[in-house]
Amino acid sequence: MSEHQTLDPETAARKRAMGLFAAADRGVLEAGLAGIGELPDWQLLRAPEIGLVMVRGRTGGGGAPFNLGEVAVTRCAVTLSPDTVGTAYIMGRDKEKARLAALCDALWQRAETRDKVEADILEPIAETLAENDEKNAAETEATRVDFFTMVRGED
Amino acid sequence: MYVAVKGGEKAIANAHRLLADKRRGARSVPAMTVEQIVEQLALAVDRVMAEGSLYDKELAALAIKQARGDLIEAIFLVRAFRTTLPRFGHSEPLDTGEMHIRRRISATFKDLPGGQLLGPTFDYTHRLIDFALAAEGETPEPVRSAPRGGAAPRVTDLLNAEGLLEVDEDGDGNVGDLTREPIDFPAGRDVRLQALARGDEGFLLALGYSTQRGYARTHPFAGEIRMGEVEVELFVEELGFAVTLGRLTVTECQMITQFTGSAKVPPQFSRGYGLTFGHSERKSMAMALVDRALRFEEFGEELTAPAQDQEFVLSHSDNVQATGFTEHLKLPHYVDFQAELELIRRMRREIAERAEKAANDADETRAEEAAE
């Protein structure tokens, strides 16, 4: 399986991109794709489909895997003319978002459009994600317990 | 015996229409949106996801709306929905050590690396009704502080370094799935954890509590409770690598419990483990207590209490099964009951006949005695 799989830089970069498309709001992908301009011809290779992925945890946190429960996932694949296949697997049941994410993945794979996808779609998504993480971390940080020991009266 | 009964269609249709009306409530009050439920009844949504065994906030919220807030009914709806969908595969095991932490506490180590972060907790509230919530006021923004950063390793990994705590076992690579094959007793820990993760919170809470009160006591400490978001990845064959699907909120509880050692193993702490979808702290703690109790054989303990008995625990922890069997008693049992009624009547008739016969016999005897 893919556990501790070391990915070549190209695959690692695509994995990061696909993860960010999945994390984005649909509107962000819509706006991002609109910014790319005229899209090459594309077709649905696999129409958006909703299904389940069984989520696994590990016994004790680090031990043998067990089945925790399922998560709703939508997948989609598109072909960008002539032969680039874009794929999306995203959490949730938003078929339109899956289609947009698959298109983004295909455009990212093509040398002609990659820089634009990186700059106009991925960067804003990554920024929003980082901002949210920072905000949540800061809110959590404010609830950190700073223990201090009181010296009691008896001498 | 099953006998088809006709009739009642109109009554059923009208009852469902009445239900829809009651669900909506007074039309003068605005209808609740799914978004409101997701945002403002978040812990109910989390419970429905955990026990419905399907992580999908909008779906769980819609189920809560449809069920008029009856969470077991909502869980039932979610379980029914999942049967309509294909399964794409199973995820890579979640790495809770890499969690984006929203809350993390330890009752055993005051100064643990990464610190104690209370997060959004009911703990230390006074449990006084806040009447100000009834008035629609503004809620202040939370306080923010610059994060200190630094890793927050799982507490169990810290103790493991000293060898004082039982270590996680790797397992044999087989992962049981009770949604695919019925539970075969004795069930392995993987299947037990799956059943507990989707089990009824109230049932597990009561069982966990029973272990604390002495029915299979394990002297538990809340070694660590952490809640936050973890990434979930799916290995996709056609791509040849694991894609990140998104993030899930989960709650993890590491219960540290007693073990006095055996001939082979020196005294060390044993563990119970709890992991649930969403922010479900009580549930994950109860799950960890019951997980530990179910492991009694591994530690050479005696079977003395319900919480240790896996057949009892796993056969009754699922609230959809439980509610199905309990509530089916409402369905027509007219023929069954007729048979029972007939039986009771016959038994009473027989008893009466015997009594009458005995009385007659006694009368005859008395008459004979008198005649003598």
Side-chain angles (χ1 to χ4, degrees):
Chain A
M1 277 302 301
S2 71
E3 218 179 320
H4 307 303
Q5 187 188 25
T6 350
L7 302 176
D8 60 87
E10 175 78 5
T11 311
R14 183 169 172 212
K15 176 179 167 154
R16 170 184 173 270
M18 288 177 73
L20 287 172
F21 298 139
D25 285 337
R26 188 213 295 172
V28 175
L29 300 182
E30 252 161 9
L33 280 170
I36 298 284
E38 188 84 16
L39 296 185
D41 279 347
W42 64 272
Q43 283 174 328
L44 282 176
L45 180 64
R46 177 195 268 157
E49 182 190 14
I50 299 170
L52 302 169
V53 168
M54 177 53 92
V55 178
R56 288 188 170 169
R58 284 190 184 280
T59 307
F66 69 95
N67 289 314
L68 174 64
E70 288 161 317
V71 59
V73 170
T74 308
R75 68 179 174 190
C76 178
V78 298
T79 312
L80 204 61
S81 178
D83 58 0
T84 312
V85 175
T87 307
Y89 278 82
I90 62 169
M91 230 176 91
R93 286 172 291 116
D94 189 340
K95 289 182 171 178
E96 176 61 6
K97 181 180 154 185
R99 188 184 68 83
L100 297 170
L103 267 174
C104 287
D105 175 50
L107 290 166
W108 181 90
Q109 290 176 70
R110 289 163 71 115
E112 309 91 290
T113 38
R114 179 175 302 184
D115 287 348
K116 216 162 161 44
V117 173
E118 283 279 352
D120 297 351
I121 307 180
L122 285 176
E123 216 166 284
I125 297 171
E127 251 169 53
T128 308
L129 213 57
E131 274 167 27
N132 280 338
D133 283 345
E134 244 163 75
K135 176 176 153 288
N136 288 323
E139 287 170 8
T140 308
E141 182 64 38
T143 67
R144 179 185 294 278
V145 181
D146 285 314
F147 287 104
F148 55 91
T149 312
M150 280 194 290
V151 181
R152 304 247 208 144
E154 295 162 37
D155 24 34
Chain B
M1 182 167 55
Y2 180 79
V3 178
V5 180
K6 283 211 166 232
E9 289 91 343
K10 195 171 165 202
I12 290 169
N14 288 346
H16 290 170
R17 188 158 162 175
L18 181 60
L19 170 71
D21 175 78
K22 295 299 173 196
R23 176 191 296 126
R24 175 59 184 86
R27 305 299 197 273
S28 55
V29 177
M32 214 168 17
T33 65
V34 167
E35 290 72 23
Q36 284 173 331
I37 297 170
V38 168
E39 289 298 318
Q40 296 172 34
L41 295 177
L43 300 188
V45 169
D46 285 352
R47 180 168 179 187
V48 170
M49 293 198 301
E51 293 170 35
S53 204
L54 177 58
Y55 197 102
D56 185 327
K57 288 188 179 188
E58 288 75 24
L59 188 79
L62 181 58
I64 290 169
K65 182 173 179 174
Q66 186 177 334
R68 305 178 66 196
D70 178 338
L71 298 190
I72 291 182
E73 181 72 21
I75 289 160
F76 200 156
L77 293 170
V78 168
R79 291 272 188 93
F81 178 80
R82 72 160 281 284
T83 63
T84 64
L85 296 176
R87 190 185 283 180
F88 296 157
H90 61 79
S91 81
E92 302 295 300
L94 301 178
D95 185 355
T96 51
E98 290 291 312
M99 182 183 282
H100 296 265
I101 289 176
R102 299 290 185 94
R103 168 166 167 78
R104 192 265 196 134
I105 54 161
S106 170
T108 52
F109 300 99
K110 184 162 66 72
D111 301 306
L112 76 171
Q116 310 240 8
L117 302 158
L118 296 182
T121 182
F122 291 122
D123 296 351
Y124 315 110
T125 61
H126 295 108
R127 266 79 185 204
L128 298 175
I129 290 278
D130 181 3
F131 288 98
L133 279 177
E136 287 172 30
E138 287 297 310
T139 304
E141 288 288 313
V143 178
R144 292 179 193 155
S145 307
R148 286 186 209 172
R154 283 187 294 259
V155 158
T156 43
D157 295 337
L158 299 172
L159 262 187
N160 275 347
E162 278 186 77
L164 298 178
L165 190 69
E166 119 181 76
V167 291
D168 288 325
E169 304 281 350
D170 274 346
D172 58 5
N174 290 321
V175 185
D177 185 353
L178 61 82
T179 68
R180 292 292 170 90
E181 313 104 36
I183 300 179
D184 207 4
F185 294 107
R189 197 172 171 200
D190 53 345
V191 171
R192 299 196 311 246
L193 286 171
Q194 182 182 14
L196 297 178
R198 70 205 319 255
D200 182 73
E201 180 172 316
F203 180 72
L204 298 183
L205 179 66
L207 281 176
Y209 177 46
S210 74
T211 71
Q212 289 182 280
R213 290 194 62 257
Y215 293 85
R217 194 187 291 284
T218 55
H219 296 272
F221 293 94
E224 182 180 3
I225 294 163
R226 59 169 62 202
M227 182 274 291
E229 295 159 50
V230 287
E231 289 193 336
V232 56
E233 293 196 342
L234 171 72
F235 182 83
V236 178
E237 289 292 339
E238 72 247 32
L239 297 175
F241 60 92
V243 298
T244 309
L245 304 171
R247 287 188 194 173
L248 306 175
T249 295
V250 294
T251 307
E252 181 183 58
C253 173
Q254 302 274 2
M255 211 56 95
I256 298 178
T257 53
Q258 200 176 50
F259 176 44
T260 49
S262 67
K264 286 187 218 147
V265 189
Q268 59 172 190
F269 290 109
S270 57
R271 298 162 57 187
Y273 186 66
L275 184 67
T276 55
F277 281 156
H279 185 184
S280 314
E281 205 159 296
R282 185 187 304 115
K283 166 75 183 280
S284 69
M285 292 179 78
M287 175 175 172
L289 287 172
V290 177
D291 170 50
R292 174 59 184 82
L294 289 171
R295 300 177 64 205
F296 71 99
E297 272 178 316
E298 291 177 56
F299 302 106
E301 295 159 354
E302 301 255 315
L303 171 63
T304 58
Q308 296 167 303
D309 182 341
Q310 58 161 282
E311 207 161 333
F312 177 78
V313 174
L314 303 189
S315 303
H316 302 109
S317 59
D318 191 297
N319 55 25
V320 176
Q321 282 173 9
T323 201
F325 204 52
T326 301
E327 294 202 46
H328 105 283
L329 293 173
K330 292 183 291 191
L331 300 178
H333 283 71
Y334 304 135
V335 177
D336 277 356
F337 189 71
Q338 272 301 316
E340 292 285 317
L341 199 58
E342 202 45 53
L343 183 67
I344 293 274
R345 281 187 178 131
R346 199 177 68 224
M347 285 162 67
R348 290 178 66 120
R349 201 162 53 233
E350 283 168 8
I351 290 168
E353 281 166 8
R354 270 202 304 277
E356 200 178 331
K357 185 166 180 295
N360 289 342
D361 289 354
D363 283 351
E364 274 169 38
T365 314
R366 260 198 302 279
E368 278 165 28
E369 278 169 0
E372 275 171 17

